[in-house]
PDB file of all heavy atoms in Angstrom:
ATOM      1  N   GLU A  63       7.986   9.996  -0.281  1.00 96.00           N
ATOM      2  CA  GLU A  63       8.184   9.867  -1.786  1.00 96.00           C
ATOM      3  C   GLU A  63       9.596   9.453  -2.176  1.00 96.00           C
ATOM      4  O   GLU A  63       9.747   8.558  -3.008  1.00 96.00           O
ATOM      5  CB  GLU A  63       7.733  11.131  -2.543  1.00 96.00           C
ATOM      6  CG  GLU A  63       6.270  11.505  -2.364  1.00 96.00           C
ATOM      7  CD  GLU A  63       5.356  10.465  -3.019  1.00 96.00           C
ATOM      8  OE1 GLU A  63       5.842   9.721  -3.912  1.00 96.00           O
ATOM      9  OE2 GLU A  63       4.227  10.360  -2.585  1.00 96.00           O
ATOM     10  N   LEU A  64      10.579  10.113  -1.660  1.00 97.00           N
ATOM     11  CA  LEU A  64      11.902   9.686  -2.012  1.00 97.00           C
ATOM     12  C   LEU A  64      12.255   8.308  -1.503  1.00 97.00           C
ATOM     13  O   LEU A  64      12.925   7.588  -2.317  1.00 97.00           O
ATOM     14  CB  LEU A  64      12.844  10.761  -1.340  1.00 97.00           C
ATOM     15  CG  LEU A  64      12.876  12.189  -1.929  1.00 97.00           C
ATOM     16  CD1 LEU A  64      13.834  13.035  -1.025  1.00 97.00           C
ATOM     17  CD2 LEU A  64      13.107  12.272  -3.388  1.00 97.00           C
ATOM     18  N   VAL A  65      11.808   7.842  -0.352  1.00 97.00           N
ATOM     19  CA  VAL A  65      12.058   6.569   0.119  1.00 97.00           C
ATOM     20  C   VAL A  65      11.351   5.549  -0.776  1.00 97.00           C
ATOM     21  O   VAL A  65      11.922   4.473  -1.274  1.00 97.00           O
ATOM     22  CB  VAL A  65      11.681   6.337   1.537  1.00 97.00           C
ATOM     23  CG1 VAL A  65      11.589   4.985   1.981  1.00 97.00           C
ATOM     24  CG2 VAL A  65      12.691   7.187   2.470  1.00 97.00           C
ATOM     25  N   THR A  66      10.135   5.768  -1.105  1.00 94.00           N
ATOM     26  CA  THR A  66       9.385   4.788  -1.997  1.00 94.00           C
ATOM     27  C   THR A  66      10.058   4.793  -3.366  1.00 94.00           C
ATOM     28  O   THR A  66      10.152   3.597  -3.925  1.00 94.00           O
ATOM     29  CB  THR A  66       7.923   5.392  -2.247  1.00 94.00           C
ATOM     30  OG1 THR A  66       7.332   5.420  -0.922  1.00 94.00           O
ATOM     31  CG2 THR A  66       7.061   4.433  -3.159  1.00 94.00           C
ATOM     32  N   ASN A  67      10.460   5.853  -3.966  1.00 93.00           N
ATOM     33  CA  ASN A  67      11.201   5.829  -5.192  1.00 93.00           C
ATOM     34  C   ASN A  67      12.478   4.957  -5.076  1.00 93.00           C
ATOM     35  O   ASN A  67      12.798   4.255  -5.947  1.00 93.00           O
ATOM     36  CB  ASN A  67      11.533   7.224  -5.717  1.00 93.00           C
ATOM     37  CG  ASN A  67      10.289   7.927  -6.298  1.00 93.00           C
ATOM     38  OD1 ASN A  67       9.337   7.271  -6.480  1.00 93.00           O
ATOM     39  ND2 ASN A  67      10.463   9.217  -6.581  1.00 93.00           N
ATOM     40  N   ALA A  68      13.148   5.132  -4.003  1.00 94.00           N
ATOM     41  CA  ALA A  68      14.433   4.349  -3.855  1.00 94.00           C
ATOM     42  C   ALA A  68      14.056   2.855  -3.774  1.00 94.00           C
ATOM     43  O   ALA A  68      14.789   2.045  -4.449  1.00 94.00           O
ATOM     44  CB  ALA A  68      15.129   4.779  -2.561  1.00 94.00           C
ATOM     45  N   LEU A  69      13.050   2.502  -3.031  1.00 93.00           N
ATOM     46  CA  LEU A  69      12.694   1.048  -2.960  1.00 93.00           C
ATOM     47  C   LEU A  69      12.207   0.496  -4.222  1.00 93.00           C
ATOM     48  O   LEU A  69      12.500  -0.620  -4.648  1.00 93.00           O
ATOM     49  CB  LEU A  69      11.558   0.946  -1.896  1.00 93.00           C
ATOM     50  CG  LEU A  69      11.950   1.192  -0.420  1.00 93.00           C
ATOM     51  CD1 LEU A  69      10.730   1.089   0.480  1.00 93.00           C
ATOM     52  CD2 LEU A  69      13.000   0.131  -0.017  1.00 93.00           C
ATOM     53  N   LEU A  70      11.356   1.308  -5.083  1.00 90.00           N
ATOM     54  CA  LEU A  70      10.813   0.799  -6.294  1.00 90.00           C
ATOM     55  C   LEU A  70      11.866   0.728  -7.359  1.00 90.00           C
ATOM     56  O   LEU A  70      11.893  -0.139  -8.330  1.00 90.00           O
ATOM     57  CB  LEU A  70       9.641   1.655  -6.640  1.00 90.00           C
ATOM     58  CG  LEU A  70       8.469   1.467  -5.813  1.00 90.00           C
ATOM     59  CD1 LEU A  70       7.368   2.421  -6.356  1.00 90.00           C
ATOM     60  CD2 LEU A  70       7.925   0.118  -5.730  1.00 90.00           C
ATOM     61  N   HIS A  71      12.751   1.783  -7.429  1.00 89.00           N
ATOM     62  CA  HIS A  71      13.650   1.938  -8.597  1.00 89.00           C
ATOM     63  C   HIS A  71      15.181   1.994  -8.320  1.00 89.00           C
ATOM     64  O   HIS A  71      15.975   1.865  -9.171  1.00 89.00           O
ATOM     65  CB  HIS A  71      13.278   3.210  -9.276  1.00 89.00           C
ATOM     66  CG  HIS A  71      11.818   3.431  -9.580  1.00 89.00           C
ATOM     67  ND1 HIS A  71      11.226   2.656 -10.525  1.00 89.00           N
ATOM     68  CD2 HIS A  71      10.908   4.219  -9.087  1.00 89.00           C
ATOM     69  CE1 HIS A  71       9.902   3.024 -10.511  1.00 89.00           C
ATOM     70  NE2 HIS A  71       9.617   3.921  -9.718  1.00 89.00           N
ATOM     71  N   GLY A  72      15.607   2.092  -7.002  1.00 89.00           N
ATOM     72  CA  GLY A  72      16.970   2.273  -6.821  1.00 89.00           C
ATOM     73  C   GLY A  72      17.740   1.256  -5.983  1.00 89.00           C
ATOM     74  O   GLY A  72      18.973   1.267  -6.046  1.00 89.00           O
ATOM     75  N   VAL A  73      17.051   0.565  -5.070  1.00 91.00           N
ATOM     76  CA  VAL A  73      17.881  -0.282  -4.169  1.00 91.00           C
ATOM     77  C   VAL A  73      17.765  -1.796  -4.735  1.00 91.00           C
ATOM     78  O   VAL A  73      16.647  -2.375  -4.776  1.00 91.00           O
ATOM     79  CB  VAL A  73      17.152  -0.246  -2.740  1.00 91.00           C
ATOM     80  CG1 VAL A  73      17.910  -1.102  -1.829  1.00 91.00           C
ATOM     81  CG2 VAL A  73      16.987   1.163  -2.191  1.00 91.00           C
ATOM     82  N   PRO A  74      18.860  -2.320  -5.116  1.00 91.00           N
ATOM     83  CA  PRO A  74      18.951  -3.705  -5.571  1.00 91.00           C
ATOM     84  C   PRO A  74      18.597  -4.678  -4.497  1.00 91.00           C
ATOM     85  O   PRO A  74      18.781  -4.389  -3.362  1.00 91.00           O
ATOM     86  CB  PRO A  74      20.390  -3.811  -6.044  1.00 91.00           C
ATOM     87  CG  PRO A  74      20.919  -2.470  -6.224  1.00 91.00           C
ATOM     88  CD  PRO A  74      20.189  -1.625  -5.301  1.00 91.00           C
ATOM     89  N   PRO A  75      18.076  -5.815  -4.778  1.00 91.00           N
ATOM     90  CA  PRO A  75      17.761  -6.787  -3.787  1.00 91.00           C
ATOM     91  C   PRO A  75      18.972  -7.118  -2.890  1.00 91.00           C
ATOM     92  O   PRO A  75      20.113  -7.131  -3.370  1.00 91.00           O
ATOM     93  CB  PRO A  75      17.410  -8.068  -4.582  1.00 91.00           C
ATOM     94  CG  PRO A  75      16.964  -7.547  -5.943  1.00 91.00           C
ATOM     95  CD  PRO A  75      17.717  -6.279  -6.108  1.00 91.00           C
ATOM     96  N   GLY A  76      18.671  -7.243  -1.601  1.00 91.00           N
ATOM     97  CA  GLY A  76      19.726  -7.504  -0.625  1.00 91.00           C
ATOM     98  C   GLY A  76      20.433  -6.270  -0.237  1.00 91.00           C
ATOM     99  O   GLY A  76      21.356  -6.398   0.765  1.00 91.00           O
ATOM    100  N   ARG A  77      20.106  -5.111  -0.656  1.00 93.00           N
ATOM    101  CA  ARG A  77      20.819  -3.934  -0.274  1.00 93.00           C
ATOM    102  C   ARG A  77      19.960  -3.112   0.587  1.00 93.00           C
ATOM    103  O   ARG A  77      18.782  -3.293   0.694  1.00 93.00           O
ATOM    104  CB  ARG A  77      21.252  -3.116  -1.510  1.00 93.00           C
ATOM    105  CG  ARG A  77      22.132  -3.847  -2.459  1.00 93.00           C
ATOM    106  CD  ARG A  77      23.678  -3.449  -2.100  1.00 93.00           C
ATOM    107  NE  ARG A  77      24.588  -4.193  -2.971  1.00 93.00           N
ATOM    108  CZ  ARG A  77      25.126  -3.798  -4.125  1.00 93.00           C
ATOM    109  NH1 ARG A  77      24.787  -2.590  -4.577  1.00 93.00           N
ATOM    110  NH2 ARG A  77      25.934  -4.513  -4.790  1.00 93.00           N
ATOM    111  N   GLN A  78      20.536  -1.977   1.134  1.00 95.00           N
ATOM    112  CA  GLN A  78      19.816  -1.023   1.988  1.00 95.00           C
ATOM    113  C   GLN A  78      19.975   0.338   1.329  1.00 95.00           C
ATOM    114  O   GLN A  78      20.679   0.547   0.393  1.00 95.00           O
ATOM    115  CB  GLN A  78      20.446  -1.018   3.365  1.00 95.00           C
ATOM    116  CG  GLN A  78      20.410  -2.350   4.126  1.00 95.00           C
ATOM    117  CD  GLN A  78      20.895  -2.256   5.554  1.00 95.00           C
ATOM    118  OE1 GLN A  78      21.909  -1.507   5.693  1.00 95.00           O
ATOM    119  NE2 GLN A  78      20.365  -2.917   6.460  1.00 95.00           N
ATOM    120  N   PHE A  79      19.137   1.279   1.908  1.00 97.00           N
ATOM    121  CA  PHE A  79      19.308   2.669   1.555  1.00 97.00           C
ATOM    122  C   PHE A  79      19.604   3.551   2.723  1.00 97.00           C
ATOM    123  O   PHE A  79      19.226   3.095   3.887  1.00 97.00           O
ATOM    124  CB  PHE A  79      18.015   3.159   0.719  1.00 97.00           C
ATOM    125  CG  PHE A  79      16.856   3.273   1.545  1.00 97.00           C
ATOM    126  CD1 PHE A  79      16.474   4.365   2.188  1.00 97.00           C
ATOM    127  CD2 PHE A  79      16.015   2.164   1.612  1.00 97.00           C
ATOM    128  CE1 PHE A  79      15.287   4.384   2.972  1.00 97.00           C
ATOM    129  CE2 PHE A  79      14.764   2.217   2.325  1.00 97.00           C
ATOM    130  CZ  PHE A  79      14.526   3.377   3.017  1.00 97.00           C
ATOM    131  N   LEU A  80      20.102   4.647   2.520  1.00 97.00           N
ATOM    132  CA  LEU A  80      20.337   5.586   3.606  1.00 97.00           C
ATOM    133  C   LEU A  80      19.451   6.785   3.556  1.00 97.00           C
ATOM    134  O   LEU A  80      19.374   7.497   2.539  1.00 97.00           O
ATOM    135  CB  LEU A  80      21.785   5.980   3.557  1.00 97.00           C
ATOM    136  CG  LEU A  80      22.330   7.124   4.551  1.00 97.00           C
ATOM    137  CD1 LEU A  80      22.236   6.621   5.938  1.00 97.00           C
ATOM    138  CD2 LEU A  80      23.765   7.590   4.238  1.00 97.00           C
ATOM    139  N   LEU A  81      18.798   7.065   4.669  1.00 98.00           N
ATOM    140  CA  LEU A  81      17.991   8.463   4.752  1.00 98.00           C
ATOM    141  C   LEU A  81      18.851   9.353   5.612  1.00 98.00           C
ATOM    142  O   LEU A  81      19.289   9.044   6.656  1.00 98.00           O
ATOM    143  CB  LEU A  81      16.600   8.176   5.471  1.00 98.00           C
ATOM    144  CG  LEU A  81      15.874   9.435   5.726  1.00 98.00           C
ATOM    145  CD1 LEU A  81      15.573  10.204   4.540  1.00 98.00           C
ATOM    146  CD2 LEU A  81      14.512   9.049   6.464  1.00 98.00           C
ATOM    147  N   PHE A  82      19.139  10.486   5.077  1.00 96.00           N
ATOM    148  CA  PHE A  82      20.038  11.508   5.621  1.00 96.00           C
ATOM    149  C   PHE A  82      19.179  12.736   5.712  1.00 96.00           C
ATOM    150  O   PHE A  82      18.628  13.230   4.829  1.00 96.00           O
ATOM    151  CB  PHE A  82      21.094  11.594   4.583  1.00 96.00           C
ATOM    152  CG  PHE A  82      22.032  12.793   4.781  1.00 96.00           C
ATOM    153  CD1 PHE A  82      23.407  12.592   5.322  1.00 96.00           C
ATOM    154  CD2 PHE A  82      21.710  14.046   4.305  1.00 96.00           C
ATOM    155  CE1 PHE A  82      24.234  13.709   5.416  1.00 96.00           C
ATOM    156  CE2 PHE A  82      22.607  15.123   4.416  1.00 96.00           C
ATOM    157  CZ  PHE A  82      23.737  14.947   4.924  1.00 96.00           C
ATOM    158  N   LEU A  83      19.258  13.283   7.074  1.00 98.00           N
ATOM    159  CA  LEU A  83      18.519  14.658   7.262  1.00 98.00           C
ATOM    160  C   LEU A  83      19.504  15.516   7.978  1.00 98.00           C
ATOM    161  O   LEU A  83      20.314  15.035   8.894  1.00 98.00           O
ATOM    162  CB  LEU A  83      17.399  14.326   8.244  1.00 98.00           C
ATOM    163  CG  LEU A  83      16.301  13.403   7.731  1.00 98.00           C
ATOM    164  CD1 LEU A  83      15.464  12.965   8.948  1.00 98.00           C
ATOM    165  CD2 LEU A  83      15.421  13.990   6.720  1.00 98.00           C
ATOM    166  N   ARG A  84      19.464  16.823   7.450  1.00 97.00           N
ATOM    167  CA  ARG A  84      20.405  17.786   8.000  1.00 97.00           C
ATOM    168  C   ARG A  84      19.709  19.052   8.170  1.00 97.00           C
ATOM    169  O   ARG A  84      19.019  19.507   7.247  1.00 97.00           O
ATOM    170  CB  ARG A  84      21.629  17.988   7.181  1.00 97.00           C
ATOM    171  CG  ARG A  84      22.639  19.012   7.786  1.00 97.00           C
ATOM    172  CD  ARG A  84      23.866  19.267   6.856  1.00 97.00           C
ATOM    173  NE  ARG A  84      23.369  20.000   5.747  1.00 97.00           N
ATOM    174  CZ  ARG A  84      23.815  19.860   4.489  1.00 97.00           C
ATOM    175  NH1 ARG A  84      24.852  19.044   4.204  1.00 97.00           N
ATOM    176  NH2 ARG A  84      23.424  20.653   3.480  1.00 97.00           N
ATOM    177  N   TYR A  85      19.861  19.721   9.305  1.00 95.00           N
ATOM    178  CA  TYR A  85      19.193  21.033   9.585  1.00 95.00           C
ATOM    179  C   TYR A  85      20.334  21.985  10.231  1.00 95.00           C
ATOM    180  O   TYR A  85      20.770  21.561  11.281  1.00 95.00           O
ATOM    181  CB  TYR A  85      18.038  20.884  10.524  1.00 95.00           C
ATOM    182  CG  TYR A  85      17.352  22.227  10.835  1.00 95.00           C
ATOM    183  CD1 TYR A  85      16.823  22.844   9.745  1.00 95.00           C
ATOM    184  CD2 TYR A  85      17.328  22.663  12.053  1.00 95.00           C
ATOM    185  CE1 TYR A  85      16.234  24.183  10.152  1.00 95.00           C
ATOM    186  CE2 TYR A  85      16.704  23.859  12.448  1.00 95.00           C
ATOM    187  CZ  TYR A  85      16.113  24.609  11.396  1.00 95.00           C
ATOM    188  OH  TYR A  85      15.590  25.817  11.672  1.00 95.00           O
ATOM    189  N   ASP A  86      20.647  23.033   9.480  1.00 93.00           N
ATOM    190  CA  ASP A  86      21.678  23.864   9.992  1.00 93.00           C
ATOM    191  C   ASP A  86      21.130  25.154  10.463  1.00 93.00           C
ATOM    192  O   ASP A  86      21.707  26.248  10.863  1.00 93.00           O
ATOM    193  CB  ASP A  86      22.636  24.284   8.922  1.00 93.00           C
ATOM    194  CG  ASP A  86      22.024  24.903   7.751  1.00 93.00           C
ATOM    195  OD1 ASP A  86      20.837  25.347   7.768  1.00 93.00           O
ATOM    196  OD2 ASP A  86      22.786  25.137   6.710  1.00 93.00           O
ATOM    197  N   GLY A  87      19.711  25.301  10.799  1.00 91.00           N
ATOM    198  CA  GLY A  87      19.132  26.427  11.324  1.00 91.00           C
ATOM    199  C   GLY A  87      18.569  27.345  10.164  1.00 91.00           C
ATOM    200  O   GLY A  87      17.813  28.218  10.394  1.00 91.00           O
ATOM    201  N   ARG A  88      19.038  27.191   8.979  1.00 92.00           N
ATOM    202  CA  ARG A  88      18.555  27.919   7.774  1.00 92.00           C
ATOM    203  C   ARG A  88      17.840  27.140   6.843  1.00 92.00           C
ATOM    204  O   ARG A  88      16.902  27.525   6.192  1.00 92.00           O
ATOM    205  CB  ARG A  88      19.703  28.638   7.123  1.00 92.00           C
ATOM    206  CG  ARG A  88      20.398  29.700   7.871  1.00 92.00           C
ATOM    207  CD  ARG A  88      21.584  30.300   7.163  1.00 92.00           C
ATOM    208  NE  ARG A  88      22.464  29.329   6.595  1.00 92.00           N
ATOM    209  CZ  ARG A  88      23.635  28.968   7.081  1.00 92.00           C
ATOM    210  NH1 ARG A  88      24.040  29.539   8.291  1.00 92.00           N
ATOM    211  NH2 ARG A  88      24.454  28.012   6.512  1.00 92.00           N
ATOM    212  N   ALA A  89      18.289  25.813   6.645  1.00 95.00           N
ATOM    213  CA  ALA A  89      17.624  24.961   5.700  1.00 95.00           C
ATOM    214  C   ALA A  89      17.630  23.508   6.192  1.00 95.00           C
ATOM    215  O   ALA A  89      18.550  23.070   6.952  1.00 95.00           O
ATOM    216  CB  ALA A  89      18.323  25.063   4.313  1.00 95.00           C
ATOM    217  N   LEU A  90      16.694  22.822   5.752  1.00 97.00           N
ATOM    218  CA  LEU A  90      16.497  21.347   6.086  1.00 97.00           C
ATOM    219  C   LEU A  90      16.690  20.579   4.778  1.00 97.00           C
ATOM    220  O   LEU A  90      16.055  20.893   3.778  1.00 97.00           O
ATOM    221  CB  LEU A  90      15.108  21.021   6.642  1.00 97.00           C
ATOM    222  CG  LEU A  90      14.699  19.597   6.804  1.00 97.00           C
ATOM    223  CD1 LEU A  90      15.676  18.965   7.859  1.00 97.00           C
ATOM    224  CD2 LEU A  90      13.258  19.418   7.074  1.00 97.00           C
ATOM    225  N   ARG A  91      17.693  19.650   4.807  1.00 97.00           N
ATOM    226  CA  ARG A  91      17.985  18.906   3.614  1.00 97.00           C
ATOM    227  C   ARG A  91      17.655  17.361   3.942  1.00 97.00           C
ATOM    228  O   ARG A  91      18.014  16.932   4.989  1.00 97.00           O
ATOM    229  CB  ARG A  91      19.460  19.069   3.196  1.00 97.00           C
ATOM    230  CG  ARG A  91      19.808  18.256   1.986  1.00 97.00           C
ATOM    231  CD  ARG A  91      21.322  18.640   1.597  1.00 97.00           C
ATOM    232  NE  ARG A  91      21.629  17.928   0.358  1.00 97.00           N
ATOM    233  CZ  ARG A  91      21.888  18.564  -0.707  1.00 97.00           C
ATOM    234  NH1 ARG A  91      21.518  19.860  -0.973  1.00 97.00           N
ATOM    235  NH2 ARG A  91      22.221  17.857  -1.806  1.00 97.00           N
ATOM    236  N   ILE A  92      16.956  16.875   2.881  1.00 98.00           N
ATOM    237  CA  ILE A  92      16.682  15.408   3.001  1.00 98.00           C
ATOM    238  C   ILE A  92      17.401  14.743   1.764  1.00 98.00           C
ATOM    239  O   ILE A  92      17.403  15.236   0.728  1.00 98.00           O
ATOM    240  CB  ILE A  92      15.153  15.121   2.708  1.00 98.00           C
ATOM    241  CG1 ILE A  92      14.382  15.937   3.849  1.00 98.00           C
ATOM    242  CG2 ILE A  92      14.931  13.593   2.629  1.00 98.00           C
ATOM    243  CD1 ILE A  92      12.896  16.044   3.373  1.00 98.00           C
TER     244      ILE A  92
END
């Protein structure tokens, strides 16, 4: 859902987006 929203509404033509995932043993952040 977050990636689709970025593609449809946030990433200008010719640009890329970054997917960032972090897990510290207590929480997973996207």
